[in-house]
Amino acid sequence: MLSTNIKEATKVEHQNLEKQVVLKLKAIRSNQDYADLLKHFFAYFSHIEEKIKPFITVSVLPDYAQRRNSSYIKADILELGADIANLPFTTVPKIENVVQALGALYVLEGSIMGGSIIVKMLEKGGVIKGVSFFSGYGEATGMMWGNFIAVLNAQAKTEKDEQEAIVAANETFKHFAYVFEKVSVHPV
């Protein structure tokens, strides 16, 4: 089943990204620090969402319009008193079909699953505003993840499909990690 295989096959890249994000989270000392971190998330999510948009239709993922996306991150940034100017430079993997788009979306949706941990880390540091994105789907988070995984598994009908989704997920993790490594910015 793809959901099992993708988790195992992306473990290294997932851990690499997670390590970078946790280091950034631990360094947050103010709302401005947090807003700066969110700019990285916003820059990457908004870029990759544009790449997957043509492939994730209502017929593929009926509740896609109700899922968390970069607009929530933008709202959090604005709530913190910051803006979306001078965003970090981003690159995204090649997405050319539905299974690749779902592989990329696996990373984006998965980031929400760890959101409650991030919210608690921020609270310990005194940051309590701008957490709508990381608050996930509230009580429905597990159900939304389960619905996504069911779609992911159903779309990967062949071994080739599975491999394409896994490669896309790994590349999505890698490109997301690059956002935290690069220092160049581009204006909005």
Side-chain angles (χ1 to χ4, degrees):
M1 197 178 287
L2 177 55
S3 59
T4 305
N5 295 338
I6 200 169
K7 183 177 182 178
E8 187 59 36
T10 60
K11 187 180 255 180
V12 171
E13 294 303 333
H14 182 183
Q15 289 173 341
N16 178 47
L17 172 62
E18 194 172 77
K19 179 180 170 188
Q20 289 187 52
V21 171
V22 168
L23 287 173
K24 299 283 186 199
L25 283 165
K26 287 181 175 180
I28 291 173
R29 299 289 177 257
S30 67
N31 283 351
Q32 186 58 51
D33 290 345
Y34 176 45
D36 289 342
L37 173 73
L38 285 177
K39 284 184 175 190
H40 289 76
F41 275 80
F42 178 74
Y44 189 71
F45 272 56
S46 59
H47 192 174
I48 198 155
E49 285 169 359
E50 285 302 312
K51 290 291 184 185
I52 67 175
K53 188 185 211 175
F55 305 104
I56 305 295
T57 62
V58 174
S59 63
V60 173
L61 187 60
D63 64 357
Y64 186 55
Q66 287 77 50
R67 291 184 174 270
R68 298 283 183 210
N69 58 46
S70 60
S71 70
Y72 288 84
I73 304 167
K74 180 181 178 182
D76 288 343
I77 292 168
L78 297 175
E79 183 181 350
L80 292 163
D83 58 43
I84 56 166
N86 299 317
L87 295 174
F89 178 76
T90 60
T91 60
V92 294
K94 189 172 10 173
I95 305 292
E96 298 176 322
N97 60 43
V98 171
V99 293
Q100 289 175 340
L102 287 169
L105 192 55
Y106 169 84
V107 176
L108 304 185
E109 284 294 312
S111 70
I112 295 167
M113 294 301 292
S116 62
I117 295 165
I118 291 172
V119 170
K120 286 178 181 142
M121 287 178 74
L122 292 167
E123 283 175 0
K124 286 181 183 175
V127 176
I128 54 171
K129 288 173 35 175
V131 295
S132 71
F133 178 76
F134 288 120
S135 295
Y137 305 111
E139 296 291 319
T141 299
M143 180 196 71
M144 293 292 280
W145 178 249
N147 290 347
F148 172 73
I149 291 301
V151 168
L152 179 71
N153 288 332
Q155 286 292 325
K157 294 175 179 27
T158 66
E159 192 172 313
K160 180 181 181 280
D161 289 344
E162 277 202 23
Q163 282 308 307
E164 284 190 43
I166 289 169
V167 167
N170 262 322
E171 289 298 308
T172 301
F173 277 122
K174 281 183 197 175
H175 284 264
F176 195 8
Y178 296 158
V179 177
F180 297 100
E181 296 169 3
K182 297 189 185 293
V183 291
S184 58
V185 297
H186 60 83
V188 173

